Amino acid sequence: MLISRRNFTSLSVLAVGTLMLNACSGNSKAPIKDASADFGLQSSGYPVVTKPLTLVFSGTKSALAPDYKSMALVQEWQKTTNITVDWQNLPDNVYQEKKNLILASGDLPDAFFNTGLSDSEVATYGTNGTLLALETLVDAHAPNLKKILDARPDIKAAITSSDGHIYTLPSVEELGLVQFPHMIAINKSWLDKLGLPVPTTIDEYHDALLAFKEKDLAGGGKTIPSATSQELFAATSLT
């Protein structure tokens, strides 16, 4: 995600995902007003702002994904933070055609999410003032991300542009989900409860799932011994 100058408020606190902040006009490095105090930005705790704030996010969304605003997690974010996000998501093919026009316009969203911008595009729009640098915001308002970047200079280097600034925040995946998206997983706590070892073969995996079903580990006859079960998604990898 990337963030802009358009509404520089509690976006500083939202710098906890893959975020890019944007500027008010496409090629401007003019000073911007920090409006955080206008919305009652709190240095810690929730809500993030004491006055309701609406931010516009632009980017792409899978055609199969539901509207973000309908998602329970997004609704919980809104309730917890006092910030409403106006999601202006476009299909991938449409966004690829329009992204340069959006970035060059004087009517930018507050942030871009899931944009797929290349490193060179991030560097170009960062150095010309369209995107805001995030490193000071991360230091001040994103302690968990700061801890990761301090501990992992390789990740920090990977997201740092050639001019030394950070314009986009990372999504780091080190479990092999990209290479192996269908890895087998199982609920270790259920295995422990039944006194079963972690399966090392497909037959052992089958027997463990069957035991989960027969012993009804979820309770109320609701145990579904498959990888699509919520309980099994909270599982440990067999790899």
Side-chain angles (χ1 to χ4, degrees):
M1 205 168 185
L2 304 106
I3 304 180
S4 97
R5 298 172 180 260
R6 188 173 93 83
N7 228 355
F8 182 50
T9 54
S10 61
L11 283 170
S12 55
V13 180
L14 287 179
V16 291
T18 324
L19 184 63
M20 295 195 281
L21 287 161
N22 273 332
C24 221
S25 65
N27 296 305
S28 172
K29 287 192 176 183
I32 57 172
K33 176 182 180 291
D34 183 349
S36 299
D38 297 343
F39 291 90
L41 173 65
Q42 303 196 101
S43 59
S44 62
Y46 295 104
V48 171
V49 288
T50 58
K51 296 180 181 179
L53 172 65
T54 297
L55 302 174
V56 178
F57 279 30
S58 179
T60 64
K61 182 181 73 67
S62 168
L64 299 178
D67 289 339
Y68 290 159
K69 64 181 180 181
S70 71
M71 295 180 179
L73 180 59
V74 172
Q75 293 172 0
E76 185 63 26
W77 288 344
Q78 178 178 331
K79 182 171 65 175
T80 303
T81 64
N82 208 20
I83 298 171
T84 299
V85 174
D86 177 8
W87 299 96
Q88 297 184 354
N89 301 111
L90 299 171
D92 286 339
N93 59 334
V94 176
Y95 184 77
Q96 293 306 316
E97 293 176 0
K98 293 187 175 182
K99 68 178 180 180
N100 290 334
L101 293 175
I102 295 173
L103 284 162
S105 74
D107 185 23
L108 293 168
D110 295 298
F112 290 95
F113 178 79
N114 195 26
T115 62
L117 292 183
S118 66
D119 290 345
S120 62
E121 287 174 323
V122 171
T124 296
Y125 290 112
T127 54
N128 74 11
T130 300
L131 303 175
L132 295 183
L134 302 176
E135 60 270 8
T136 57
L137 303 181
V138 170
D139 289 345
H141 299 290
N144 292 333
L145 179 57
K146 176 175 168 50
K147 184 177 179 180
I148 292 173
L149 296 182
D150 288 345
R152 294 289 302 273
D154 56 325
I155 295 176
K156 184 174 183 178
I159 63 173
T160 300
S161 189
S162 57
D163 63 359
H165 291 297
I166 295 174
Y167 298 105
T168 178
L169 302 187
S171 174
V172 180
E173 195 284 300
E174 296 183 314
L175 296 177
L177 297 178
V178 175
Q179 295 89 345
F180 307 102
H182 304 297
M183 67 165 60
I184 298 175
I186 196 164
N187 191 318
K188 182 67 163 56
S189 64
W190 285 5
L191 290 173
D192 294 342
K193 193 170 183 178
L194 295 178
L196 298 173
V198 175
T200 57
T201 68
I202 293 299
D203 287 341
E204 291 176 357
Y205 185 65
H206 169 272
D207 293 343
L209 296 182
L210 186 61
F212 289 170
K213 178 181 179 182
E214 292 177 343
K215 300 297 184 180
D216 190 22
L217 270 294
K222 297 179 180 179
T223 304
I224 303 175
S226 70
T228 57
S229 159
Q230 235 181 4
E231 290 82 4
L232 294 182
F233 268 143
T236 58
S237 167
L238 296 183
T239 57

